[in-house]
Amino acid sequence: MPDFSLLLYDALCVTGLLCILLRRDRRGGWPYLAFVAGLGTFWWWGVLTVAARGAGAASGAELSQMATGLSGWATWVYWAGLTLLLVRDESQVQHTLKALGIGGLIVGAAIALQWVGADFSYVIASVPGVSEGFHRVRGTDYYHAPAACIVGLTAIALLGLTGERRRFGALLGAAALIGLTILNNTRAVSLALMSALAVLLMASLWRRQWRTAAMSLLAVALVAPHLLYLKPSLTGAPAQVSTTAAQDGWTDFGPSSDPTAATGGTPPRRVGVADVARANAPRSALAESGLAILPDAWLIGHGVGTLDLPLEGDSFGGLTSTYSTHTLYLDMALMAGIPALLAALVVFASGAVGTLQALLGSKSSPVRAGSAAALLAMLTMFAVISLFLPQERNEVIGIAFAVAALALAAAGRSSTEATGPALQHVAAWVPGYVLIALGAAGWTILTSPTYIFPALELVVRYGAEIVRDRQHVYVNEPAMRPVLASLLRLRGGDAAQVSVLADGAQALEARQAWIVWNPGRLPAYPALASQLGKPRHPHRNQALAISMPAHWWLMPSAQPTASFLFAGARTKVPAGGLHRNVDDASIQVPVLPNHAPFATIRLGPTIGGRAEHVADFNQGSAVSWNAAHNAEIRFHVPEMAQQPLRAYRMNALINRSMQAAERYTWTMEGSADGRDWTQIDSRSGERVSHDVSRPSTYLIPDAPAFPFYRIRFVPAGNAPGASAGLSEMELYFSPDGRFTD
């Protein structure tokens, strides 16, 4: 009910705002009328989607989610409508551009301070022979890409202040913001910024604004190399294992004896267009999936905020659906239909027409033309970034709607023709800017992804366990220690429970203890990094830049940088990610973390795929076989030869292009020598989970320990042509005294 009350409130506000705009300037010309009509059609078509889905089979929860999503769309209409209502002449356009520029400088200051303080929100540590370092900060946003986009947009706004007497200051500020955008760039932001600068360059040459043209040309030259920049990734690292095909048809995967595998890496080479295309392949797959379902609801869409985009299941960590194509145009069409997308395009096209009228008009003043050139460049930047922009980037989209309205206002009256009350001079807004800057600083500090937020989350998620069991917490970022100690004291803990992680073998001796690990601190731990080795399972260890020892759990967290590790055995498999079970089974005895990825794995001759895909912490990889045939997978776990297997978990193969087996029948067996086998568990006609977040869990209450295990699948009466398979298998062993003392 609250969601629909909000929808009704938005309906009244949007309608009232549009009526005011129409009455305010009835003779605004066809671009003005098209702009207002586009705004109204865009939002009200979304309402029609809710009504149409409500008349169909949509549930109450889905309709509530649509109402909430439409409220987000309404904010974009407010941004545009209020801007058009308040900004009435060229002087006010200049003041608004200056306000945008100052806001961008505030965000830029936060980005600069985060870089200086190494307060990174995205880190790939530099691992010799494996990966270059990669660091980004998020400014006042929650992700570095929208922060870079906003800074780039506001840099263009400052370049539009060519009519100002203090234009050198505007150019200096724009240069600083462009530099920060490059520092915090992504390929998409670089492409969008370069497109905007190219438009501004052409407009400046047309207007003979040589200083702006020269700066635009220089900026284009600086941004262009980043179009081919590929983010380094540990998923491309050579693993410390080898795969060989045996003569009997079995496929092996296990610890490598090749001394070059530990150093790994390939010499750096020049990145080409083909490399960028391969890097963009996952986004292309999202777009293809979106285009495939567009004909199903091209008129009214699938629902604002309820888009369920089908995925194959063999990528994106095994996900079979997601919420966005990461292309704003396609997202709008899929959520509310092609008419809603066309209405949004009319809004931005009307703004672009306004800038062209101001830029090319014979009576346009230099001030108006300068503003129009910058606004046209900003619209161009948004048009390009929208090819890569998911629909939840509300603040970026809202700013773009406001820029479209500002662009339309640029073609309006001159300062002497204005009849409405003028906006106050920007100098009168200084107290507001100070408050905004203080708020931005407070937000940046409290949500610090390196020093503050990880400590907050650890205490909220696991503080009760840490205090109750007197567990110790080690941090590898010294500046976090006093923060975490203070927060633990608030929960009844002791500051002595927190200390800085030492470098060396003693770090591996920690038991029943937590480690907050930031990969950016890897250079401070050369001994530990050398002992643990380079990432062996990239999909799990990318955030760590090390191979975790067998007794370290990677615990669930929302952290973009710091990871929560637990050293020792646990009585329950952690909730979340790969650690949530499907049948609510509870492990009553302590177990060590999933050891399957550390085993030597052998695939029987009937199984297709690579042996490492059985257990590589990646649900997007799998092995498969004909469900009408037998299949066998073996594990050699010499390190666990004295610890009995207490539980195993599986996710069945899921791929939309294949007919998946519905049921599985198997036996789990152990062996002391790999030849004579003892059955320790069996299942018949089981429905194994396809949900990557809820693997099927199978407990083994009492069985002896073995160094060899095998799981043997037999046909379970599935339909002819069905494919069976596993996307991930996990093995949990009971610990000995080394891990419980």
Side-chain angles (χ1 to χ4, degrees), residues 246-271:
Q247 293 182 355
D248 58 3
W250 289 71
T251 303
D252 296 356
F253 173 82
S256 173
S257 59
D258 179 3
T260 64
T263 56
T266 56
R269 62 182 181 85
R270 195 181 180 109
V271 175

Side-chain angles (χ1 to χ4, degrees), residues 286-456:
L286 291 176
E288 290 174 5
S289 298
L291 290 171
I293 65 171
L294 182 59
D296 299 338
W298 67 270
L299 186 61
I300 60 169
H302 294 267
V304 178
T306 58
L307 177 62
D308 189 28
L309 185 69
L311 300 174
E312 280 293 310
D314 58 357
S315 59
F316 300 104
L319 294 177
T320 55
S321 65
T322 188
Y323 67 95
S324 171
T325 65
H326 278 248
T327 300
L328 182 60
Y329 304 116
L330 192 50
D331 279 356
M332 285 183 174
L334 288 170
M335 288 189 291
I338 291 178
L341 170 62
L342 294 177
L345 294 177
V346 166
V347 170
F348 289 100
S350 301
V353 169
T355 62
L356 292 174
Q357 289 177 340
L359 187 61
L360 304 177
S362 58
K363 297 182 179 180
S364 292
S365 66
V367 172
R368 174 177 292 181
S371 300
L375 290 166
L376 181 60
M378 294 170 75
L379 289 176
T380 301
M381 183 172 181
F382 179 73
V384 174
I385 199 68
S386 294
L387 293 170
F388 312 94
L389 194 68
Q391 48 87 13
E392 83 271 14
R393 303 287 191 239
N394 283 315
E395 76 286 9
V396 176
I397 302 171
I399 291 174
F401 269 79
V403 168
L406 202 60
L408 191 63
R413 302 179 179 90
S414 65
S415 300
T416 57
E417 296 172 328
T419 58
L423 292 175
Q424 290 180 303
H425 194 272
V426 173
W429 304 350
V430 170
Y433 286 130
V434 172
L435 289 176
I436 292 172
L438 290 174
W443 170 262
T444 302
I445 293 171
L446 290 177
T447 61
S448 165
T450 298
Y451 307 109
I452 306 294
F453 204 64
L456 283 170

Side-chain angles (χ1 to χ4, degrees), residues 448-459 480 484 516 559 562 564:
S448 165
T450 298
Y451 307 109
I452 306 294
F453 204 64
L456 283 170
E457 187 187 2
L458 181 72
V459 171
M480 188 191 295
L484 184 54
V516 182
Q559 294 307 309
F564 299 158

Side-chain angles (χ1 to χ4, degrees), residues 537-544 548 552-554 593 598 616-617:
H537 303 103
H539 289 279
R540 185 192 200 196
N541 298 142
Q542 178 164 344
L544 305 174
M548 293 206 314
W552 283 11
W553 298 81
L554 179 59
F598 299 91
D616 59 354
F617 299 105

Side-chain angles (χ1 to χ4, degrees), residues 666-671 676-683 700 702-704 706 709-710 712:
W666 71 86
T667 59
M668 175 69 81
E669 301 172 339
S671 172
D676 299 321
W677 297 90
T678 301
Q679 179 176 309
I680 59 175
D681 190 37
S682 66
R683 308 282 170 156
I700 306 176
D702 185 20
F706 298 100
Y709 293 89
R710 72 179 181 182
R712 303 176 69 192

Side-chain angles (χ1 to χ4, degrees), residues 98 181 218 222 244 264 356 406 408 431 482 486 611 634 672 691 696:
K98 184 179 292 185
T181 306
L218 176 61
L222 293 174
T244 60
L356 292 174
L406 202 60
L408 191 63
S486 299
R634 296 185 180 184
D691 186 345
S696 293

